[in-house]
Amino acid sequence: MQEIPAETPEHRWEPLSLEEVKRLLGPVAAPWWVAGGHALDMFLGHETRQHVDIDVAILRRDQKAFLDALREWDVQIAHNGELIPLKPGEAITKPEHHELWARETPDGPWRLELLLEESDGKRWSYRRNDRIGLNVADLGRRDSYGIQFIRPEVMLLYKSHSPRPADETDFLYALPRLDVAQKGWLSGALYTTDPKHRWLERMK
């Protein structure tokens, strides 16, 4: 989630529930995945902590389909601690612009964050290092209600970059539940991005 001051009314959040997200985005004919702490909770099968927002990952190339679904909403780019209004029909092409906040009215609370993921054909690539990737079809898993969420090892890779206390907590909850293949993938990805990352020692 973009680190933007939350003490002012224009930055308050009342996130959609998973069921509301499913109703809103279910009709879109493009893949989407619940991300962030919610994704790890879906992997674990229970809620581990309170979440102040809800993140949904989409492929950057599919952004128009999702912005069409949110055409009646106020959607803004979250970047470097600021919110940048999104113009109607504007395509988001700058790699550094990868987070969108959405709310139903301009004076209402924020309800949803969209995360733009990079891809090339059938391959998803990690935004911070495109040497790391997966088949798009393997990027997520489904819960018992059919909602896709980002694989835990991928979600932890994102959280490993300048981890906050909540990210450290998420790592400690998820690590014991990762299987050998998941730990292997995450270890390899961490080593690629930062061979001295402190999480690597914990995964031995």
Side-chain angles (χ1 to χ4, degrees):
M1 177 182 175
Q2 179 74 215
E3 293 294 340
I4 293 178
E7 67 273 8
T8 55
E10 62 267 27
H11 294 144
R12 73 187 189 281
W13 273 85
E14 291 181 15
L16 297 175
S17 67
L18 287 177
E19 185 58 37
E20 288 172 325
V21 172
K22 186 177 181 179
R23 285 200 300 268
L24 177 65
L25 301 182
V28 179
W32 56 272
W33 305 264
V34 174
H38 279 287
L40 291 173
D41 280 355
M42 293 169 76
F43 164 66
L44 294 170
H46 62 91
E47 187 173 274
T48 59
R49 60 180 174 85
Q50 187 175 12
H51 304 284
V52 298
D53 67 347
I54 187 162
D55 305 329
V56 170
I58 66 173
L59 301 180
R60 184 182 294 273
R61 68 190 184 203
D62 295 329
Q63 63 180 274
K64 184 179 185 303
F66 290 93
L67 291 175
D68 284 348
L70 296 169
R71 60 186 174 274
E72 302 298 329
W73 289 47
D74 176 31
V75 181
Q76 300 191 30
I77 299 169
H79 178 64
N80 280 350
E82 297 182 352
L83 291 168
I84 306 168
L86 188 63
K87 300 174 184 176
E90 179 182 358
I92 306 158
T93 58
K94 294 181 179 180
E96 64 269 28
H97 290 169
H98 50 78
E99 298 184 25
L100 302 175
W101 286 17
R103 56 187 173 184
E104 292 156 298
T105 60
D107 59 350
W110 298 101
R111 309 300 310 279
L112 175 69
E113 180 170 3
L114 292 179
L115 306 174
L116 303 183
E117 296 291 334
E118 307 302 333
S119 61
D120 182 8
K122 294 182 179 181
R123 183 181 186 271
W124 161 84
S125 60
Y126 179 48
R127 183 173 63 247
R128 298 188 177 104
N129 189 321
D130 62 10
R131 290 182 295 165
I132 300 169
L134 282 172
N135 191 304
V136 169
D138 296 328
L139 183 57
R141 300 176 63 170
R142 291 186 184 274
D143 72 357
S144 57
Y145 299 98
I147 300 176
Q148 286 203 102
F149 59 94
I150 294 289
R151 299 183 69 88
E153 61 268 38
V154 174
M155 204 63 257
L156 290 173
L157 174 62
Y158 273 115
K159 286 177 169 287
S160 70
H161 181 75
S162 301
R164 304 161 298 175
D167 300 321
E168 296 283 357
T169 298
D170 288 342
F171 174 70
L172 293 175
Y173 269 114
L175 180 60
R177 294 283 300 277
L178 299 181
D179 61 27
V180 172
Q182 290 168 327
K183 287 182 180 179
W185 188 93
L186 180 57
S187 294
L190 286 174
Y191 190 84
T192 300
T193 58
D194 180 4
K196 296 182 179 179
H197 198 288
R198 63 180 179 275
W199 287 4
L200 284 168
E201 186 64 29
R202 301 185 196 174
M203 298 179 66
K204 292 181 178 179

